[in-house]
Amino acid sequence: MSEYVYRCMIVRAEDVAVARTIAEGISPTAGANMWLGAWSPNGQAPATHYADSGSIGPEWEVLMPLQTWTRDENGDWVLADVYLGDPQALYDACVQYGVQVTQQQIADLFNHSDVTTQEPAEALARMGLQLVQAEEP
């Protein structure tokens, strides 16, 4: 039996609808209610990114991009490795499940997402993002 793996997935605000459509379309139960955490550089609206994290199955692991970050001798974050994912296979899965997205939308999502094995607090801090605070009623 294949094991699940952990991923922290941060997507741009302009790509979050596509990410949600794909997740819910291919996996309605597991994909529901993803990317609800809204983030921005100053913690103020509008959100620039949405984050989600958790375990994913091996079928998703091979499709999704993955970046590996490490710190250099000065403590700065350095991109150490990149797996580009398989956007064509994800598109093919979308077609199979009747999910209405384009190859360009998937390419944009892959090219602009931050997908790592980092805990959300670490990944969001690395990106300089803060939780968007709800406005007072």
Side-chain angles (χ1 to χ4, degrees):
M1 182 169 145
S2 298
E3 293 186 30
Y4 282 74
V5 296
Y6 170 83
R7 292 292 183 265
C8 177
M9 301 164 281
I10 302 170
V11 300
R12 299 182 312 173
E14 53 261 57
D15 297 322
V16 73
V18 171
R20 289 175 180 156
T21 297
I22 293 169
E24 292 174 10
I26 293 177
S27 184
T29 302
N33 300 312
M34 291 186 69
W35 293 287
L36 297 179
W39 301 81
S40 72
N42 61 6
Q44 302 296 313
T48 58
H49 293 79
Y50 288 82
D52 207 306
S53 64
S55 296
I56 61 170
E59 68 279 9
W60 286 99
E61 178 184 13
V62 297
L63 297 179
M64 295 175 54
L66 177 67
Q67 298 93 31
T68 304
W69 293 86
T70 188
R71 291 197 183 261
D72 67 13
E73 62 278 356
N74 298 318
D76 296 322
W77 286 109
V78 177
L79 185 59
D81 192 30
V82 175
Y83 171 67
L84 298 176
D86 192 341
Q88 182 62 52
L90 181 57
Y91 178 76
D92 293 344
C94 288
V95 169
Q96 177 184 347
Y97 284 90
V99 179
Q100 299 295 310
V101 295
T102 67
Q103 290 177 308
Q104 186 60 54
Q105 287 173 310
I106 292 172
D108 289 344
L109 178 64
F110 276 32
N111 289 334
H112 299 287
S113 294
D114 187 87
V115 182
T116 68
T117 59
Q118 292 179 308
E119 290 298 320
E122 185 175 34
L124 292 158
R126 173 178 48 76
M127 295 178 70
L129 297 173
Q130 300 174 31
L131 181 63
V132 171
Q133 302 300 312
E135 293 183 18
E136 294 295 323

